[in-house]
Amino acid sequence: MSRPTLDQALEAARTGNAEKLCQYLDAGGDANLRDGSGQLTLLHLAAMGGHLQVVVELTRCSDCRINEPSGRNGDTALIMSVKSGHEAVAKHLLLQSSCDLNLRNRAGFTALMKAAKRGATSLALLLLQHGAELEVASQRGGHTALTLAVSNKRPKTVDQLLDFGASLTHRTASGKTAEDIAYDQRSSAEPGERSKCDRIYRALLDEREHREEVKRDTGLSNDVLNGQYKVIEIIGKGTFGCAFVAQNLRCQDAKAVVKVMRPQPNRRTIEIQRDGIHEAKIMLMADHPQVVRIMQYLKVEKNFCIVMEFCEFGDLDAWINGLDRKHKKFPVDTVIRWFLQLLLGLDYLHGNKIIHRDIKPKNIFLKQDATAKIGDFGFARRLLGEGDYASTVAGTLMYMCPEIMSNLNGTLTATVDVPVEGYDSKCDVWSLGCTLFEMSTMRLPFDPNKLKEQVCGDSPLPRLPKEYPIELDTLLTSMLARERKKRASCSQLLDSQLARDRLQDMKVNGCADDLRFLQSNAHLVKHCAGITSKKTAAATRTRGCIHRLMEAVDSVLNNRQPPAISPNYNLQDDSISDTVPDSIIEALAERVKWSGFPLEQVYRRSVVNLGSDVPPEERRKDYARFTDDMEACEQLETLVVCEMTRQ
């Protein structure tokens, strides 16, 4: 069979005739053949037409130049496939190791910018997950992917780009940010486009508020870490820094918990990093189903971050507090199963010479399958061998074993840096015993006001409630033995008849009952099982005052009853029901409608100015940057004062 002619090869690429093209390539044809005008290659023609099989055959050729720009406008095959909406072709090209997804055409547009302009959400997500750059600006107009999506009224694509951390401060060649563009569009939108413009504008405002909150709580300048982890919700704050749930942007529906260790006034950054690396290395050594898994650790700005697996049902301490408020308790069998799971995890750690040193309900986490895991290794230490002991005070007082607490003075503070007597892994056994008692009774094992006396003295030890097996109560007694040598080890506890029988039962019957209990009571617990996205988290946060005012004005313009307005209005707060003076809202609505009064800008400035006691003349100068209508500004200030005094 004779080799197809050049024209036949070009026609095969244009029409998707993979068989004819293969004949051409097998006969030694040029994989980078251009058409008669010299503008387009075979790959360009196939990509534009969405002919996946032809693209596959061409990319198999080792000499195929995937990133070759067209002679017409400099588009690559990837840009062409995105412009034409051919997702399968784009996906195949992205999988090629030599494909550069951030190449720009002659106008400075990347494949992501083309996807954003078209509103091609699936293609945009594909490019973002493969690492497309967000802040590349076009030569024509100085647009980024976000400003293009806003300009072309693509709300879903705007949401995607914001989730991946697109900059809100970039200005186009005309000096406008994405928020400015959205505001202009909202002001001039036709009735059929108004809801779409509103959605985009409010998404940008929500995102700005969210990022300001993240910066305030975490010290991070961006709410996307390492281009991969998007902050959803802060779940813990302390002296070390904070912890938050994050969305893994490169893997849909996957979440993680990120612990951020921030520099402290009395500690150098290098010390924070040293402690963070130590904790991360300990976690990397621990590979067990009952130990929280570390995913990676990284340095972000001056902060050290540890990324860990997400435990959907939160921590045990939150469950104890949530259930206790409703006078509920854990089922007996659930407590026993969790206790044995934690015992397995501790036994694994101790077998690898790792002592946790801070076992307590706050550091026990519950997974989606209702299993318990040990987490937070900030105090953990690895012993060197059989004769090695830890010798520094560490842990939480209520769960601290006698050999550590005996070295604290009457005010329960460390009197020396090194205790007289060292301690080993049995300190964790004591702490787990205290945790078992708390799980069983919803009470602390010792009186906080007589803590050292009860822990180190000879007062009776805590006992489990009568509904628990006597064998488990016996195990608790052996775990709370005040003399370290008499205290049981994890392996001894696991060798008990109760542990062997119950572990065998768990293998056969699983934890379905525990899961049903958690699911039916999850509403009682904060940061538990209901976190689905940043948007869900935002719904429980304080809603921006500007949104409430916009809704009120829109209601008047559409002849509806205006809703209540409050700068600190919370969707869960039913006590706020008053409406602000209708006459003022109506007057402002008329100004917005007929003279284009810049409601949002002036409202934001008035909240800041009045909250900071800025003098009237300075406030008027500030408002004059946006409008000459000082009467409307005063009316707006009246609303703000009304709301501030009502809080």
Side-chain angles (χ1 to χ4, degrees):
M1 183 181 296
S2 61
R3 186 176 83 173
T5 64
L6 300 184
D7 287 341
Q8 288 175 329
L10 290 167
E11 184 63 20
R14 187 178 289 109
T15 60
N17 190 337
E19 183 179 354
K20 180 70 73 176
L21 185 76
C22 285
Q23 292 174 9
Y24 169 77
L25 295 174
D26 291 343
D30 182 8
N32 300 299
L33 174 68
R34 286 184 176 267
D35 62 9
S37 64
Q39 302 289 321
L40 303 171
T41 66
L42 294 172
L43 187 60
H44 293 150
L45 293 168
M48 278 196 300
H51 304 308
L52 177 60
Q53 194 55 46
V54 173
V55 171
V56 170
E57 296 299 336
L58 286 167
T59 53
R60 283 176 179 167
C61 299
S62 59
D63 60 341
C64 179
R65 294 194 288 271
I66 292 177
N67 299 313
E68 184 82 1
S70 69
R72 185 181 303 164
N73 52 19
D75 283 349
T76 63
L78 178 62
I79 293 176
M80 290 177 178
S81 65
V82 170
K83 281 172 62 176
S84 305
H86 300 309
E87 184 176 347
V89 172
K91 187 173 184 178
H92 176 76
L93 291 170
L94 285 169
L95 292 175
Q96 309 308 305
S97 59
S98 58
C99 180
D100 187 345
L101 75 167
N102 292 311
L103 283 178
R104 299 197 278 179
N105 63 16
R106 290 199 181 95
F109 285 83
T110 64
L112 178 62
M113 294 162 77
K114 290 292 185 182
K117 186 176 180 180
R118 290 185 68 252
T121 54
S122 57
L123 283 168
L125 179 61
L126 189 65
L127 290 161
L128 288 166
Q129 289 178 335
H130 279 79
E133 293 181 10
L134 282 162
E135 305 313 323
V136 177
S138 65
Q139 295 169 6
R140 186 189 305 160
H143 282 283
T144 61
L146 179 61
T147 58
L148 283 168
V150 173
S151 299
N152 289 275
K153 303 183 181 72
R154 309 295 189 186
K156 291 183 179 179
T157 310
V158 169
D159 287 342
Q160 281 181 329
L161 295 167
L162 291 176
D163 282 344
F164 275 80
S167 173
L168 295 171
T169 58
H170 172 81
R171 294 185 179 275
T172 63
S174 61
K176 293 188 175 182
T177 64
E179 191 176 315
D180 294 333
I181 296 170
Y183 175 74
D184 291 344
Q185 288 179 331
R186 183 180 179 277
S187 302
S188 59
E190 297 293 330
E193 294 281 303
R194 183 62 183 265
S195 62
K196 188 186 295 184
C197 294
D198 278 352
R199 177 181 167 185
I200 291 173
Y201 184 60
R202 294 180 186 186
L204 292 165
L205 291 180
D206 276 342
E207 183 66 19
R208 181 158 54 79
E209 289 179 9
H210 175 67
R211 292 185 185 183
E212 289 171 356
E213 179 186 344
V214 168
K215 185 175 182 179
R216 182 177 64 251
D217 291 341
T218 69
L220 301 170
S221 60
N222 198 322
D223 65 340
V224 177
L225 273 69
N226 205 33
Q228 183 173 1
Y229 298 104
K230 171 82 172 182
V231 179
I232 296 178
E233 184 179 9
I234 308 295
I235 56 174
K237 289 188 283 187
T239 55
F240 71 89
C242 68
F244 57 82
V245 179
Q247 176 74 45
N248 187 340
L249 298 174
R250 296 179 188 171
C251 183
Q252 281 188 298
D253 300 324
K255 295 183 178 67
V257 170
V258 181
K259 179 178 179 180
V260 181
M261 305 172 73
R262 293 189 291 187
Q264 304 297 320
N266 58 341
R267 299 191 69 198
R268 294 181 300 167
T269 301
I270 193 170
E271 293 175 327
I272 298 291
Q273 292 181 22
R274 182 195 62 204
D275 291 347
I277 291 172
H278 170 77
E279 180 177 351
K281 285 183 175 179
I282 291 286
M283 294 185 73
L284 286 169
M285 295 177 194
D287 183 14
H288 190 273
Q290 262 49 69
V291 176
V292 172
R293 179 170 51 91
I294 183 174
M295 297 161 70
Q296 69 179 110
Y297 60 92
L298 50 125
K299 182 183 177 185
V300 181
E301 297 159 9
K302 292 185 178 181
N303 306 287
F304 188 86
C305 303
I306 300 177
V307 184
M308 300 166 282
E309 71 172 304
F310 174 50
C311 294
E312 294 80 359
F313 281 113
D315 66 75
L316 186 60
D317 183 66
W319 274 90
I320 291 172
N321 292 329
L323 292 175
D324 190 47
R325 280 194 296 269
K326 296 295 182 180
H327 307 291
K328 290 187 173 186
K329 291 185 178 182
F330 293 113
V332 171
D333 289 338
T334 297
V335 170
I336 295 174
R337 279 189 284 266
W338 286 347
F339 164 67
L340 292 175
Q341 290 164 12
L342 297 172
L343 202 53
L344 288 170
L346 266 187
D347 186 54
Y348 170 84
L349 292 175
H350 295 170
N352 285 275
K353 309 301 180 188
I354 298 171
I355 53 175
H356 187 280
R357 302 203 294 181
D358 199 21
I359 296 292
K360 59 181 179 180
K362 189 74 175 174
N363 292 335
I364 305 300
F365 299 91
L366 303 174
K367 281 292 290 178
Q368 194 171 22
D369 60 358
T371 56
K373 292 193 172 221
I374 300 168
D376 198 338
F377 284 73
F379 285 126
R381 182 192 155 176
R382 191 162 193 238
L383 301 178
L384 299 177
E386 289 296 330
D388 191 23
Y389 293 92
S391 58
T392 54
V393 174
T396 302
L397 285 171
M398 184 54 64
Y399 309 90
M400 196 174 282
C401 63
E403 55 266 35
I404 300 179
M405 189 169 290
S406 61
N407 291 284
L408 304 181
N409 61 24
T411 58
L412 296 183
T413 56
T415 55
V416 289
D417 290 334
V418 181
V420 175
E421 181 184 1
Y423 57 93
D424 57 14
S425 59
K426 288 188 177 180
C427 69
D428 289 338
V429 175
W430 174 280
S431 301
L432 182 59
C434 295
T435 301
L436 170 61
F437 179 84
E438 195 170 346
M439 280 195 291
S440 308
T441 64
M442 317 305 270
R443 294 187 290 108
L444 294 171
F446 303 104
D447 183 350
N449 298 316
K450 302 177 181 178
L451 189 56
K452 187 172 183 180
E453 175 186 337
Q454 292 186 355
V455 170
C456 301
D458 55 2
S459 58
L461 291 170
R463 302 291 300 272
L464 294 179
K466 293 181 180 180
E467 60 264 28
Y468 281 82
I470 187 65
E471 296 89 347
L472 186 63
D473 191 57
T474 302
L475 293 182
L476 176 64
T477 301
S478 67
M479 296 171 75
L480 297 181
R482 291 187 172 94
E483 290 186 39
R484 176 170 53 84
K485 293 181 180 179
K486 293 182 179 180
R487 196 177 307 148
S489 66
C490 288
S491 57
Q492 289 172 332
L493 293 167
L494 287 170
D495 195 44
S496 66
Q497 190 63 47
L498 173 73
R500 291 200 301 269
D501 292 344
R502 291 295 185 128
L503 287 172
Q504 182 60 35
D505 180 70
M506 283 169 58
K507 288 181 181 179
V508 175
N509 299 313
C511 305
D513 291 341
D514 305 338
L515 181 57
R516 280 191 288 271
F517 175 81
L518 293 177
Q519 289 172 335
S520 61
N521 291 281
H523 63 284
L524 302 175
V525 183
K526 189 178 180 182
H527 304 308
C528 167
I531 302 172
T532 55
S533 69
K534 176 179 71 72
K535 308 301 180 188
T536 305
T540 60
R541 296 199 309 265
T542 301
R543 193 173 182 185
C545 55
I546 187 63
H547 297 173
R548 299 293 301 166
L549 183 59
M550 287 165 60
E551 288 176 5
V553 172
D554 285 347
S555 297
V556 172
L557 291 174
N558 291 285
N559 299 316
R560 297 196 306 269
Q561 176 66 26
I565 307 172
S566 170
N568 293 315
Y569 183 86
N570 190 295
L571 294 177
Q572 295 178 326
D573 188 352
D574 296 329
S575 65
I576 300 174
S577 59
D578 299 333
T579 57
V580 296
D582 290 350
S583 59
I584 295 180
I585 291 183
E586 289 171 1
L588 285 171
E590 291 299 312
R591 281 178 158 83
V592 172
K593 183 176 182 180
W594 299 111
S595 63
F597 177 69
L599 182 69
E600 287 87 347
Q601 288 95 326
V602 177
Y603 194 95
R604 287 194 215 105
R605 295 309 307 162
S606 64
V607 171
V608 173
N609 290 336
L610 291 168
S612 304
D613 294 325
V614 176
E617 60 275 11
E618 294 298 323
R619 298 203 303 268
R620 282 192 287 272
K621 287 181 183 178
D622 191 11
Y623 304 145
R625 295 184 299 149
F626 308 106
T627 180
D628 296 328
D629 192 346
M630 290 300 130
E631 183 181 354
C633 294
E634 290 174 4
Q635 290 176 329
L636 199 50
E637 283 190 343
T638 301
L639 289 181
V640 174
V641 171
C642 175
E643 289 304 309
M644 285 182 170
T645 55
R646 199 173 65 191
Q647 299 309 306

